Amino acid sequence: MKHSQKKGIALYQHLGRLFYAVAFADGRVHPGEIVKFKEIVTTAWLDLDEVTDRYQTDAAYQIEIVFEWLVENEKDSGECFQKFKDFYNDHPNLFTTELKNRIKSTSRAIAHAFAGTNKAELVLLAKIDLLLK
């Protein structure tokens, strides 16, 4: 596996953490958030690049795999955001303007998927906007 391919897969895994952090910001991942999340992965992330995993599957599915694992294991939202933030700070060159905009758009859509955006989600969305400025 090429180094760039490993970075691409790691990027998608960290995006799964970030999107989980948004969905779990209020202490619960609602079914509507999961439905919206899966819809967005299919429509907005599969066409981003040509990175594949070792099974030649689109690496963007790593977003969904990590998200689902975190849902099952109810990991801390803040910890997941911090892991994404650390990855972002370690690899800023991976984050183009287009990618940053896609991340912000996806985060807002997940937050808004269940009964609008609540205070905890708004705080996290603000942190994401500040990080990805």
Side-chain angles (χ1 to χ4, degrees), residues 1 5 9 13 51-59 61-62 65:
M1 191 177 295
Q5 188 176 15
I9 291 169
Q13 290 171 342
V51 178
T52 58
D53 63 16
R54 61 183 162 178
Y55 304 109
Q56 301 307 309
T57 303
D58 194 312
Y61 282 116
Q62 290 293 317
I65 291 165

Side-chain angles (χ1 to χ4, degrees), residues 2 4 39 61 101 117 133:
K2 295 184 226 170
S4 61
E39 174 187 311
Y61 282 116
N101 289 336
T117 308
K133 58 183 168 170

Side-chain angles (χ1 to χ4, degrees), residues 6-127:
K6 287 181 182 179
K7 274 189 181 176
I9 291 169
L11 168 66
Y12 287 128
Q13 290 171 342
H14 281 85
L15 289 173
R17 286 182 182 90
L18 177 66
F19 299 147
Y20 169 80
V22 172
F24 197 68
D26 60 357
R28 181 171 177 227
V29 178
H30 301 277
E33 292 169 321
I34 294 172
V35 169
K36 187 65 171 176
F37 165 75
K38 287 184 177 191
E39 174 187 311
I40 293 169
V41 169
T42 301
T43 60
W45 290 97
L46 293 179
D47 68 346
L48 185 64
D49 57 34
E50 300 297 318
V51 178
T52 58
D53 63 16
R54 61 183 162 178
Y55 304 109
Q56 301 307 309
T57 303
D58 194 312
Y61 282 116
Q62 290 293 317
I63 299 171
E64 196 171 308
I65 291 165
V66 170
F67 182 95
E68 289 174 350
W69 186 87
L70 291 166
V71 167
E72 288 178 23
N73 292 282
E74 290 190 6
K75 296 295 181 181
D76 180 67
S77 176
E79 181 181 321
C80 289
F81 174 73
Q82 186 60 51
K83 285 184 179 186
F84 173 81
K85 183 178 177 180
D86 292 344
F87 181 81
Y88 175 83
N89 288 329
D90 290 343
H91 305 284
N93 57 322
L94 293 178
F95 294 85
T96 64
T97 300
E98 177 190 352
L99 180 59
K100 290 177 186 179
N101 289 336
R102 210 177 279 216
I103 291 167
K104 291 182 212 178
S105 175
T106 300
S107 297
R108 285 190 299 269
I110 292 168
H112 192 72
F114 179 79
T117 308
N118 64 42
K119 185 178 176 181
E121 292 166 336
L122 284 173
V123 169
L124 187 53
L125 291 175
K127 288 180 181 180

